[in-house]
């Protein structure tokens, strides 16, 4: 399963076979990451490759991954007092010796010797750790060899049988048996070899490393001699203790760490070479995607997004360092430099909508959607059982029944409003008739008191009676 820009997975490629490749913007090293690793189940010996802009440990968290080489790549690595530990497994302990029986010797009454303890197994080797972090702080990298297995304890000697007093003077007595000798302890094994720890940084503090070999296994303890038999004639002599085993011959071999500090340019060049083309291009693609997300989310008026253009520019720059041929990162970076939007137009451009084209699209798309909608509706209707249809009808009837009192209230309210409006109209009509009567009286009076002018200058009456409609 290959990894995309959104996650980590086991990657099988020509450049890295059976790597577990985990790519993120930020990675938190904690129990959740360990659980994800366990769930993915990379085969033993697969390299664990963690790549991110920032890798941060949960406070004090130790990621223990014995049997897996580890490559950690980040611009910033914060250990928070935690560690990455690839210490090899401890060697198996030697088997304890068997206990001696109680039927040895000429008369079958002495304790038997205990069996020797088994030798321990050698400690397992550590796996290498490589940390490539421009800035790394407060982390321990541990690649110690596994401890050698301890020798098994010698088995205890068997106990001698008790003496038996003769029941009669003619019968001989049975003497107690002596105790059996204890078994020798097994030998401890040598410790496993440590592994190399490589650290490449531009700036670091509090980075601790340990690639020492595993401790030798302890010697097996001597088996204790068996007790002598008691009873008549006892106690008999106990058995002698066995000899202790030997401790492991030596600790495992240690590997000196390789810690270097580079310039920023040299560090990025080294990272490209360490990752190889496949992983370098994958990281460049990821950072371009992150940068484009930030670029598109830029909003000068929002405090949490006002600096998105600067953050996006950093991501595009890192992508081009990882993969100089990345055309999309170069194009987006150029748009940033020219103060253009992500789609390559100025922020203050006015776009005139093409309404005819939009209407044509809607008109052409509508019948297709309508056909699908009708088909889906018919399918649902025909798929309904008779009981479902009855239930649907009953539900609608109940809904209409519930609406009846509401509609009645609305009808009564409308009737009351109509009655009120009619009453108000009658009052206004009466007032209008009264006003018309007053106007008629004034007009008649003006006619009666009309003014006249000298001959030849008569202008006629100032007020001419107007015909009016009879009052209603």
């Amino acid at each position: 399963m290959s990894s995309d820009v959104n996650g980590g997975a086991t990657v099988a490629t020509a450049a890295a076979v059976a790597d577990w490749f985990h790519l993120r913007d930020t990675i938190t090293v904690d129990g959740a990451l360990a659980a994800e690793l366990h769930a993915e189940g990379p085969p033993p010996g697969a390299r664990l490759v963690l790549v991110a802009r920032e890798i941060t440990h949960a406070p004090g968290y130790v990621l223990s991954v014995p049997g897996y080489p580890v490559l950690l790549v980040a611009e910033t690595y914060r250990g928070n007092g935690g560690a990455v530990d690839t210490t090899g497994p401890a060697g198996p302990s030697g088997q304890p010796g068997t206990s001696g029986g109680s039927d040895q010797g000429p008369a079958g009454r002495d304790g038997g010797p205990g069996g020797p303890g088994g030798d321990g197994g050698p400690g397992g080797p550590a796996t290498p750790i490589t940390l490539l972090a421009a800035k790394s702080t407060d982390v321990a990298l541990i690649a110690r060899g596994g401890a050698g297995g301890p020798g098994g304890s010698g088995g205890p000697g068997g106990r001698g049988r008790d003496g038996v007093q003769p029941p009669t003077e003619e019968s001989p007595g049975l003497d107690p048996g002596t105790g059996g000798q204890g078994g020798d302890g097994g030998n401890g094994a040598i410790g496993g070899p440590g592994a190399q720890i490589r650290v490449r940084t531009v700036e670091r503090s509090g980075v601790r490393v340990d690639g020492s070999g595993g401790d030798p296994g302890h010697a097996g303890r001597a088996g204790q001699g068996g007790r002598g038999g008691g009873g008549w004639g006892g106690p008999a002599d106990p058995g002698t203790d066995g000899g202790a085993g030997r401790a492991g011959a030596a600790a495992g071999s240690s590997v000196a760490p390789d810690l270097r500090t580079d310039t920023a340019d040299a560090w990025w060049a080294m990272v490209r070479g360490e990752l190889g083309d496949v992983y370098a291009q994958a990281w460049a693609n990821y950072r371009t995607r992150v940068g484009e997300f930030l670029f598109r989310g830029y909003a000068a008026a929002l405090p949490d997004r006002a600096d998105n253009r600067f953050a996006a520019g950093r991501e595009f720059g890192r992508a081009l360092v990882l993969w100089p041929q990345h055309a999309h990162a170069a194009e987006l970076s150029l748009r940033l430099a020219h103060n253009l939007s992500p789609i390559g137009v100025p922020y203050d451009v006015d776009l005139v909508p093409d309404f005819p084209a939009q209407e044509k699209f809607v008109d052409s798309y509508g019948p297709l959607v309508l056909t699908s909608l009708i088909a889906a509706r018919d399918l649902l209707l025909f798929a309904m059982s008779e009981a479902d249809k009855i239930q649907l009808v009953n539900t609608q009837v109940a809904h209409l029944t519930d609406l009846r009192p509401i509609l009645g209230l609305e009808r009564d309210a409308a009737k009351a409003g109509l009655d009120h409006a009619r009453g108000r109209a009658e009052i206004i009509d009466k007032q209008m008739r009264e006003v018309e009567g007053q106007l008629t009286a004034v007009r008649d009076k003006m006619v009666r008191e009309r003014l006249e002018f000298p001959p030849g200058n008569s202008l006629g009456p100032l007020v001419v009676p107007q015909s009016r409609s009879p009052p209603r």
Side-chain angles (χ1 to χ4, degrees):
M1 180 168 55
S2 61
S3 170
D4 61 15
V5 295
N6 294 315
T10 302
V11 177
T13 66
V17 177
D19 281 355
W20 191 78
F21 183 52
H22 196 70
L23 175 61
R24 294 286 191 275
D25 181 46
T26 61
I27 293 176
T28 300
V29 181
D30 57 7
L33 177 65
E36 184 176 351
L37 174 61
H38 178 74
E40 289 282 348
R47 187 175 62 158
L48 309 182
V49 182
L50 277 66
V51 180
R53 179 176 55 85
E54 291 185 0
I55 298 179
T56 304
H57 282 245
Y61 186 81
V62 177
L63 179 65
S64 180
V65 283
Y68 295 100
V70 177
L71 172 61
L72 307 165
V73 184
E75 287 191 74
T76 302
Y77 195 104
R78 299 183 181 92
N80 287 331
V84 177
D85 190 347
T86 63
T87 295
S93 301
Q95 294 294 322
T98 57
S99 300
S102 299
D103 54 359
Q104 303 294 309
R109 301 185 62 75
D110 296 333
D119 293 339
T127 47
I129 301 175
T130 299
L131 171 62
L132 312 179
K135 181 179 181 180
S136 56
T137 57
D138 197 18
V139 65
L141 306 176
I142 306 168
R144 296 196 61 188
S153 300
R159 184 179 183 276
R161 292 181 180 273
D162 292 338
V164 179
Q165 185 177 4
T168 64
E169 294 181 359
E170 291 80 9
S171 175
L174 298 175
D175 295 329
T178 59
Q181 181 180 357
D184 294 335
N187 300 321
I190 63 173
Q196 188 177 53
I197 299 173
R198 297 172 56 234
V199 178
R200 297 287 188 275
T201 62
V202 177
E203 177 186 349
R204 70 173 182 268
S205 64
V207 178
R208 305 171 299 281
V209 297
D210 183 2
S212 58
D215 296 330
H218 299 295
R221 293 178 300 178
Q224 187 176 8
R227 290 187 301 164
W232 183 76
D237 294 334
T240 58
D241 294 339
R246 298 187 303 275
S253 58
S254 298
V255 179
D258 181 9
L259 283 71
R260 299 184 189 180
T261 302
D262 299 314
T263 65
D265 291 341
W267 184 83
W268 279 106
M270 180 272 306
V271 167
R272 285 198 306 269
E274 190 77 26
L275 288 176
D277 289 349
V278 173
Y279 291 162
Q281 189 171 5
W283 198 13
N285 289 338
Y286 190 99
R287 301 203 71 158
T288 301
R289 291 279 300 276
V290 172
E292 187 171 9
F293 173 80
L294 294 169
F295 193 5
R296 291 181 180 276
Y298 165 71
L302 300 179
D304 59 332
R305 291 158 59 181
D307 293 333
N308 274 25
R309 285 172 58 86
F310 300 104
R314 181 190 61 212
E315 295 299 311
F316 299 147
R318 295 293 187 259
L320 291 171
V321 168
L322 287 164
W323 197 253
Q325 305 96 315
H326 205 295
H328 192 45
E331 180 182 15
L332 292 172
S333 183
L334 189 63
R335 291 175 182 175
L336 270 176
H338 287 82
N339 198 31
L340 300 177
S341 69
I343 61 174
V345 298
Y347 282 100
D348 57 355
V349 68
D350 289 330
L351 298 178
V352 179
D354 188 353
F355 290 113
Q358 295 172 2
E359 292 174 356
K360 182 178 180 181
F361 173 78
V362 172
D363 291 342
S364 62
Y365 191 66
L368 177 62
V369 175
L370 182 61
T371 302
S372 300
L373 180 62
I374 294 174
R377 183 200 63 188
D378 293 342
L379 179 62
L380 290 174
L381 289 176
F382 286 117
M384 293 175 62
S385 65
E386 189 69 24
D388 291 336
K389 293 179 181 178
I390 293 174
Q391 180 63 34
L392 178 60
V393 171
N394 289 337
T395 301
Q396 294 174 346
V397 169
H399 176 67
L400 294 174
T401 302
D402 293 338
L403 286 177
R404 289 185 63 184
I406 298 174
L407 294 174
L409 292 174
E410 292 179 350
R411 181 194 61 197
D412 294 342
K415 183 176 182 300
L418 180 60
D419 293 341
H420 175 75
R422 285 176 176 173
R424 183 63 180 164
E426 290 177 357
I427 294 172
I428 293 173
D429 188 60
K430 180 180 180 181
Q431 292 174 344
M432 290 181 65
R433 288 197 298 271
E434 291 176 354
V435 171
E436 287 180 356
Q438 294 173 1
L439 290 174
T440 300
V442 171
R443 185 182 295 110
D444 292 344
K445 181 179 179 180
M446 293 178 67
V447 169
R448 289 193 302 271
E449 298 177 357
R450 58 185 298 180
L451 297 177
E452 294 186 358
F453 293 89
N457 291 322
S458 177
L459 297 177
L462 294 177
V463 178
V464 179
Q466 300 290 326
S467 64
R468 56 185 177 91
S469 301
R472 292 177 294 176

